[in-house]
Amino acid sequence: MSKQLPQNVLVGEGTRIQGQNCFNRFFSEHSPALTIGSNCMIANAHFALGAKAQMQVGDECLLSSPMFLCEERISIGSRVVMGWNVAVMDTDFHPLDPDLRKTDAIACSPLAGGISRPAIDSAPVTIGDDVWIGPQATILKGTSIGSGSFIEPGTMVTQDVPAGSRVSGNPGRCTPLSEFQ
Amino acid sequence: MMSNPQLIEGDWFDGVIPSNTSIDSDAYVESTYSFHCFESTRTIGLTLGPGVGVYRQTVFDAGPHAQIEVGSYSMLNGVRIVCDSQITIGSHCLLAWNVILMDTRRAPYDRNARRQLISLAIENDFRWPTDQVAAERITVADNVWVGFDCIVLPGVSIGEGSVIGARSVVYDNIPPYSVAVGNPARVVRQL
């Protein structure tokens, strides 16, 4: 498996990366661009990293078919678990401003002719240690999830999450985990 | 009844239908992929009635004590069923793609207890342990339609004839003949 990894990906001992298409959209020019700790299992991930993107994953993380859309920085702690089809993104993909978005649509089109895209908002995402993220949850740009938190399945995380929170709903609402134990 | 365990002709997945299942001869299962994490040790861990269709990437993710029952004429079109206790689906139900029915989150809220499960998984070739968290049965009554990407959480009952809008997450029981939408799902009208 390791011979298929891009050269700017560092992987720790005992870590397994499964799946054929993990790096189809891996365009980061950093070295290293992606650092993964030891004893992680990452199955059928989608590492869509832009030219300036950097990403770190700690030790003992278990991630099943996650999607990472990264233009700046996504940091994931140790012992983070993600259920199927979790999406983590640190970017808006396109400008919010209607005029700039028109420019972006042209730049993305087959008629672009090499013109460059306008600047697009991004903000780093940080996920602390021991965070559990249920299946089909979405973590949006600029959020920081405190350690030990529990993100319920299908939750949309739009704001910072204090350590030790249970987060549920869309938009995600936080309650101290101690109320549920 | 089918004679089990058995293969499916032209199956893209290299698996079998486990012998402790009761699949009506008028039910259809597209692929044995649906059973790749079926670990129920019950005498009958899965029952599919006549006219049930199991399509695409549907998975019966069943722990040792799991019992899954599906009535007649129900469609599972790419559904993930995570079951450590009991999940019952009635007749004439329509479950769309990427729907998850989970009678257990398979993870405790306690951070240290989760750490232990992670260690167990790493020791066991990265297979996440089943049966470590109390499961609460799910009941989906007859004639229920669950839209795509919905999640039904442990302990939930959905009443007869109800509709759950796409991408809803269902935390609480839904009464019969209701339309419920959102995350968390709320009843917005009666049918």
Side-chain angles (χ1 to χ4, degrees):
Chain A
M1 198 66 215
S2 57
K3 62 186 170 191
Q4 295 173 6
L5 290 176
Q7 287 200 336
N8 52 352
V9 175
L10 294 182
V11 175
E13 201 177 323
T15 285
R16 203 181 296 169
I17 299 178
Q18 286 183 349
Q20 299 301 309
N21 305 311
C22 303
F23 297 98
N24 279 6
R25 285 173 59 201
F26 190 87
F27 303 123
S28 178
E29 291 160 3
H30 275 285
S31 189
L34 169 62
T35 309
I36 301 174
S38 59
N39 293 320
C40 294
M41 168 56 137
I42 301 178
N44 303 306
H46 188 68
F47 289 105
L49 270 64
K52 295 172 185 162
Q54 272 187 304
M55 198 176 149
Q56 290 107 38
V57 178
D59 300 324
E60 303 189 339
C61 288
L62 310 177
L63 317 176
S64 18
S65 43
M67 183 162 69
F68 299 108
L69 304 159
C70 183
E71 294 293 339
E72 194 174 333
R73 186 167 52 79
I74 295 177
S75 310
I76 295 174
S78 291
R79 298 170 303 279
V80 170
V81 178
M82 293 186 187
W84 327 279
N85 304 331
V86 166
V88 182
M89 54 199 78
D90 70 354
T91 168
D92 279 343
F93 309 104
H94 302 290
L96 282 186
D97 178 85
D99 290 334
L100 282 178
R101 206 163 58 245
K102 213 183 271 180
T103 310
D104 194 38
I106 295 168
C108 290
S109 79
L111 299 176
I115 67 164
S116 57
R117 295 179 62 182
I120 291 161
D121 273 0
S122 67
V125 171
T126 305
I127 299 173
D129 293 340
D130 297 300
V131 172
W132 190 88
I133 303 180
Q136 291 173 203
T138 304
I139 316 297
L140 293 184
K141 86 169 201 294
T143 55
S144 172
I145 301 180
S147 66
S149 291
F150 191 101
I151 316 298
E152 292 282 4
T155 298
M156 178 76 76
V157 178
T158 61
Q159 289 182 318
D160 284 357
V161 172
S165 302
R166 171 189 183 255
V167 193
S168 64
N170 179 6
R173 305 226 178 270
C174 303
T175 0
L177 260 179
S178 49
E179 291 177 19
F180 294 87
Q181 285 169 8
Chain B
M1 297 291 164
M2 290 179 169
S3 58
N4 296 315
Q6 68 163 39
L7 303 167
I8 295 174
E9 208 178 318
D11 192 355
W12 62 270
F13 189 78
D14 182 20
V16 294
I17 297 179
S19 51
N20 60 334
T21 57
S22 170
I23 300 176
D24 190 273
S25 56
D26 287 325
Y28 175 76
V29 179
E30 195 170 285
S31 170
T32 58
Y33 176 79
S34 294
F35 298 98
H36 79 275
C37 42
F38 184 87
E39 291 173 2
S40 177
T41 55
R42 285 188 183 271
T43 315
I44 298 296
L46 171 75
T47 306
L48 302 179
V52 167
V54 177
Y55 304 103
R56 313 210 300 174
Q57 312 272 317
T58 295
V59 174
F60 299 108
D61 184 346
H65 302 103
Q67 187 157 25
I68 303 168
E69 291 174 30
V70 186
S72 48
Y73 297 100
S74 286
M75 176 171 71
L76 279 64
N77 190 11
V79 177
R80 184 149 197 135
I81 296 190
V82 180
C83 182
D84 278 351
S85 64
Q86 202 170 12
I87 294 184
T88 308
I89 299 168
S91 298
H92 306 97
C93 289
L94 304 168
L95 308 185
W97 53 95
N98 298 338
V99 164
I100 301 175
L101 307 185
M102 46 187 349
D103 72 359
T104 170
R105 291 172 173 80
R106 291 216 172 123
Y109 285 135
D110 180 72
R111 170 181 187 167
N112 293 319
R114 287 208 302 277
R115 279 192 183 193
Q116 288 175 10
L117 294 194
I118 293 169
S119 301
L120 275 177
I122 292 171
E123 282 166 25
N124 191 22
D125 199 32
F126 295 112
R127 285 161 68 108
W128 188 260
T130 56
D131 264 348
Q132 302 289 321
V133 178
E136 299 171 79
R137 65 174 293 181
I138 289 178
T139 307
V140 177
D142 294 344
N143 198 13
V144 167
W145 178 18
V146 183
F148 71 87
D149 280 4
C150 278
I151 303 172
V152 179
L153 291 171
V156 166
S157 292
I158 301 178
E160 181 177 347
S162 288
V163 178
I164 313 297
R167 295 207 166 146
S168 299
V169 180
V170 188
Y171 285 83
D172 304 306
N173 293 346
I174 305 295
Y177 300 101
S178 313
V179 178
V181 299
N183 178 5
R186 300 277 183 242
V187 174
V188 291
R189 60 174 281 207
Q190 298 295 311
L191 293 168

